[in-house]
Amino acid sequence: MKKIFQYIMLAVVTIVMASCTSDIEETTATTGKSNVQLVVGEFPAFGDSQTRAIGTPDEGKTSWAEGDELLLEMTSKTLGTKYAAFTYNGSSWELTSGELSYKEDEVPTFPHVYYAPNYKWEAGKLVLKEGKVAGTDEYIEGKANITPNGQAITVKFAEATRNYSRLRIATMPNKQITVDTEYFTPAGSSDMEQEGNYTLTSDGKGNACLYGTFENNSEVTVKYREATLKTYKFSKETENAKSYALDATVISANSAEEIKSAIKQEVANSKTAIRLNLASDAGANEFKAIREAFKNVQDATIDLTLIGCKEIPADGLKELKALKSIFLPDVTKIGMNALSRCVYLEEICAPNVSTIDERAFAGFIMLEKVTLGELTDVRGEANSGGGIFDDDNWAQYIDLYLPKNQEVMKGEFDENSNQYIWKPTGENYFAPDFDNGIFLGYQFNSVKSW
């Protein structure tokens, strides 16, 4: 006679999370023919180091939650090795795949038990689930045993093997970010990646996590779309089972007064990289507040990132001598004179802009790089033949970056609007016959695709 564990039900689950060394929980359930126990210890917490240092506190996962899965491997002399997955339904653990079986007079062993949400059993091996990426969740190995009477399986994580650290990235709530890594070994893998790229979505508190080991001098760059939020280099290898916090937070401000106060505080704190999250419909009043906040900053020292807003209105950021670079990841329209006479500006990045009005980029003497989205509507002064840049040949010093699908733009005078309007022609700009460094009637130092 053999026992086959095809469904394990726990009558009561009450797990105490005070510390990861407390006694394991014991709960008994009765099946049709035999008395069976599944005894699961509490979830092991990360070491409390820098976890709460930045942004909204997040100590990480501390208890079992509905949907959690345990992956068990069991071996017996007669029936060999079996693999199974148990899922927690909020009150009990259920066998959801595989089989655990052994003869009644044998004592099986459990070589491995894992909590590894990204993985599943396949042909006796742990493999990544479809769409999952190593390093984006836990990979903890615990221990399992069967009691001497053969009536219970006990699972413990009090001495769990967690040979990796956690990097908690504090950023904007519920946003998708990308993380570029160097010399990083993801949890669940033994291969160090010289270069890696991860797409993460932050939770409602603004936290997103990577799990793995960062080597000495490994580098992490956090981006929201094309805007860099944070670059950090580790000065030593991260410690196992310890959590680290990385500040990629963004200041959220809605009213004009909030915006002005936030920027002034950042400037007073000698911050040179200022990241501001604005309302999508931020308009003239909000941008006036930005100009006033930078009014007394004369040197080109500020790298400004404006997230959330869809439009830079006419005159919105004109004559800001403090700007060294500006990143506008969500902007789709840049109005007339919006960035004119920001004389020390070296870089403009607006990868989603499609509409630009006259003289939006006029009056630069230091501009070297401009990244734009797929342009569909560019407007200029009636008699200038275009005019979003200066007409005195400064464009020849600028490297212009456009999407690969950017079309050739044709300009003509529109009597109804009394403007010179450029529209796409249907021909790809980067076809061999068109890539000559000329765009919108300007000769650039280069025109490249991004």
Side-chain angles (χ1 to χ4, degrees), residues 1 8 88 104 127 178 194 206 214 276 279 357 378 387:
M1 175 182 177
I8 296 180
Y88 188 57
E104 189 168 1
V127 298
T178 58
Q194 287 194 341
F214 293 89
L276 198 62
D357 286 344
V378 177

Side-chain angles (χ1 to χ4, degrees), residues 251 253 255-268 289 293:
I251 300 169
S255 71
E257 286 304 313
E258 286 179 349
I259 292 169
K260 188 186 298 186
S261 176
I263 293 175
K264 285 186 174 181
Q265 186 62 55
E266 291 289 277
V267 171

Side-chain angles (χ1 to χ4, degrees), residues 341-382:
R341 296 194 294 280
C342 295
V343 290
Y344 300 119
L345 195 61
E346 296 177 10
E347 181 178 356
I348 300 169
C349 184
N352 286 290
V353 70
S354 59
T355 300
I356 305 176
D357 286 344
E358 62 191 77
R359 296 188 61 79
F361 305 141
F364 295 120
I365 59 174
M366 303 293 287
L367 191 62
E368 297 177 351
K369 182 179 179 181
V370 177
T371 302
L372 302 176
E374 184 180 355
L375 298 179
T376 58
D377 190 341
V378 177
R379 296 172 181 252
E381 295 173 332

Side-chain angles (χ1 to χ4, degrees), residues 187-305:
S189 174
S190 59
D191 298 326
M192 183 185 70
E193 298 176 343
Q194 287 194 341
E195 294 183 354
N197 179 268
Y198 297 85
T199 299
L200 306 174
T201 300
S202 61
D203 61 19
K205 295 181 180 180
N207 295 305
C209 295
L210 277 180
Y211 300 84
T213 301
F214 293 89
E215 303 295 325
N216 181 29
N217 291 323
S218 63
E219 192 168 274
V220 177
T221 300
V222 182
K223 294 181 179 179
Y224 172 70
R225 296 190 172 177
E226 296 300 313
T228 298
L229 302 182
K230 182 71 174 183
T231 296
Y232 179 79
K233 179 174 285 189
F234 286 89
S235 59
K236 61 181 180 179
E237 182 179 338
T238 55
E239 297 180 30
N240 292 342
K242 184 174 284 190
S243 183
Y244 297 79
L246 181 64
D247 184 5
T249 53
V250 176
I251 300 169
S252 292
N254 293 309
S255 71
E257 286 304 313
E258 286 179 349
I259 292 169
K260 188 186 298 186
S261 176
I263 293 175
K264 285 186 174 181
Q265 186 62 55
E266 291 289 277
V267 171
N269 291 337
S270 301
K271 293 288 186 68
T272 58
I274 297 178
R275 304 181 294 268
L276 198 62
N277 188 23
L278 303 176
S280 60
D281 60 351
N285 288 337
E286 289 77 11
F287 282 90
K288 181 181 179 181
I290 294 174
R291 294 197 305 274
E292 290 178 351
F294 284 120
K295 188 174 183 180
N296 295 323
V297 183
Q298 297 299 318
D299 297 328
T301 56
I302 304 298
D303 297 309
L304 179 64
T305 300

